[in-house]
Amino acid sequence: NFNVLGANNSVKARYQGLAHTEFLAFGSDFASVADIVPKVHWTGFPDVFDLRFERFCDLRAKQRCAPNKDDPWLLGYFLDNELEWWGKSGRPWGMAEEAWKKPPDRACKQALVRVLREFYRGDIRAFNEDFGTNFSSFDEMLRVGTGESLSEKSGKAVGLSSAPTELPQPKTQRGQKALMEFVRKAAERYFRITAQAIKKHDPNHLNLGCRFAWDAPEAVWEMAGKYCDIVTVNLYPRIDLERGFVLGVEEHLRKRYEICKKPIIVTEWSFPALDAKDSQGRPLPCKHGAGMRVDNQTQKAKCYAIIQRTLFSLPFIVGSHYFMWVDEPALGISSTFP
């Protein structure tokens, strides 16, 4: 009773009775051109304030969506996979921390300063109070990542040894709210621009969201719900086999649905079993990658049934994609992704 081919499906498996999905990778690919969060060991996050981002998304959609607009077997498009919405720090305002480190000519750095100026209504003293800093103006923030500041009188760069290259952590709730406003605006631009690009070139298929890695800041879920047809999330829960209970997933999904107010598909989950064998019958367990390990195939089947019953009991869950047809190879997927 499977009815769809999930993310990264084999082209050879299409048009044989199952609908399929497509990947567009708007954000992760543009992050290689201009980023807020650099692509180091993961997906990064694009500089959505860079004027080239909109043109990039339009061209990508023209190339990948327009030819599919009349395909009755296509369910829809994934925008991206597990973007780094938390930055590198893992804090809700982690993206603001990454933008703070950028040079003054970068669009995201200018956007961050602009957002802070607007949030504080130009009152630099209020910002200093919330962050324990001593900036004389918002313009001075533009060069903090390079250890320089702009002299207000001359307009020339001057040394600023006391200026932090790392974003000072907010000392108040108002400070946290200021940084989250930047995250909100970045999310709004990301989802709006990508959604418009798809609708322009293919108005007939679903926008399947960007496959969150378990979670994202609340403002991001909100914007995903505003612009996507379906919100998608990857999660690898733990299961209490004795009680037949999935730990933490139901409450988590209910809370996120209350924010995004759109149907949700869980687009990855699995339970690799440690009794896997190679073609010669020799033990070859998969110990890399995500997923709670179980001892054998019987336990795996129990976990499979428990999570499916849980997900399908939630009325806002409209799909569940198992990852993947076979467990990840014991040696990993590739040399760069062990």
Side-chain angles (χ1 to χ4, degrees):
N1 293 320
F2 283 87
N3 53 25
V4 68
L5 299 169
N8 295 314
N9 57 80
S10 171
V11 175
K12 295 179 181 179
R14 297 179 182 180
Y15 306 111
Q16 299 185 54
L18 299 177
H20 61 269
T21 55
E22 289 277 8
F23 242 121
L24 298 176
F26 287 123
S28 59
D29 282 357
F30 191 76
S32 298
V33 178
D35 64 69
I36 295 179
V37 183
K39 293 174 70 173
V40 181
H41 301 297
W42 203 234
T43 56
F45 191 86
D47 188 346
V48 295
F49 300 98
D50 190 308
L51 296 180
R52 295 173 293 176
F53 181 64
E54 189 165 0
R55 177 61 174 161
F56 176 89
C57 293
D58 183 71
L59 287 173
R60 175 62 57 88
K62 182 178 180 180
Q63 295 166 351
R64 303 277 292 278
C65 301
N68 295 317
K69 64 185 181 69
D70 296 319
D71 188 343
W73 289 100
L74 176 63
L75 177 68
Y77 303 97
F78 293 117
L79 306 176
D80 270 295
N81 180 62
E82 299 187 349
L83 293 172
E84 294 187 66
W85 291 102
W86 305 93
K88 301 297 185 184
S89 72
R91 284 182 279 266
W93 51 84
M95 260 205 286
E97 295 177 274
E98 299 298 330
W100 181 270
K101 301 173 186 177
K102 301 297 185 186
D105 60 341
R106 289 292 303 277
C108 61
K109 180 64 169 288
Q110 296 172 5
L112 174 61
V113 173
R114 183 169 61 251
V115 167
L116 293 174
R117 189 198 309 271
E118 293 172 354
F119 181 89
Y120 285 101
R121 301 179 182 273
D123 185 356
I124 192 63
R125 291 176 298 179
F127 176 89
N128 287 333
E129 179 181 330
D130 287 348
F131 288 85
T133 51
N134 58 354
F135 289 105
S136 59
S137 70
F138 285 94
D139 288 336
E140 195 175 35
M141 297 178 188
L142 283 172
R143 291 192 177 274
V144 292
T146 60
E148 293 181 335
S149 173
L150 287 176
S151 167
E152 292 188 20
K153 293 183 179 179
S154 66
K156 297 180 180 179
V158 297
L160 190 69
S161 58
S162 61
T165 56
E166 298 286 337
L167 175 67
Q169 291 304 304
K171 300 179 180 300
T172 64
Q173 288 189 344
R174 182 177 66 174
Q176 294 180 11
K177 187 176 180 181
L179 297 182
M180 289 309 300
E181 184 62 23
F182 173 80
V183 176
R184 177 183 296 277
K185 289 187 180 298
E188 195 280 334
R189 283 188 62 83
Y190 170 82
F191 286 112
R192 174 173 54 81
I193 290 171
T194 54
Q196 288 174 347
I198 291 174
K199 287 295 184 184
K200 175 181 176 181
H201 295 285
D202 180 359
N204 302 327
H205 294 101
L206 294 172
N207 177 337
L208 299 175
C210 62
R211 292 165 46 94
F212 295 131
W214 174 254
D215 205 1
E218 290 189 4
V220 179
W221 284 89
E222 181 182 341
M223 291 302 163
K226 181 177 180 180
Y227 290 102
C228 299
D229 300 308
I230 304 286
V231 176
T232 47
V233 58
N234 302 337
L235 50 84
Y236 290 86
R238 298 192 64 80
I239 286 184
D240 184 330
L241 276 168
E242 290 186 4
R243 294 189 297 162
F245 181 71
V246 185
L247 302 176
V249 164
E250 186 172 350
E251 180 182 4
H252 173 69
L253 290 174
R254 286 188 185 279
K255 288 181 177 180
R256 296 306 174 263
Y257 172 68
E258 290 174 1
I259 298 171
C260 70
K261 298 179 175 62
K262 282 289 177 67
I264 295 173
I265 295 178
V266 176
T267 39
E268 278 188 28
W269 59 268
S270 71
F271 301 93
L274 297 175
D275 66 345
K277 297 177 175 60
D278 67 10
S279 59
Q280 304 301 315
R282 295 170 297 194
L284 193 64
C286 166
K287 297 181 180 179
H288 298 283
M292 168 183 151
R293 268 49 182 179
V294 295
D295 293 332
N296 52 54
Q297 302 299 319
T298 300
Q299 290 180 352
K300 178 174 182 170
K302 289 181 179 178
C303 289
Y304 182 109
I306 291 167
I307 190 172
Q308 285 288 53
R309 284 197 296 266
T310 300
L311 293 177
F312 292 164
S313 72
L314 302 173
F316 53 86
I317 297 292
V318 296
S320 164
H321 296 180
Y322 177 70
F323 186 84
M324 48 191 173
W325 180 58
V326 293
D327 285 352
E328 184 174 317
L331 300 179
I333 293 175
S334 68
S335 60
T336 57
F337 194 178

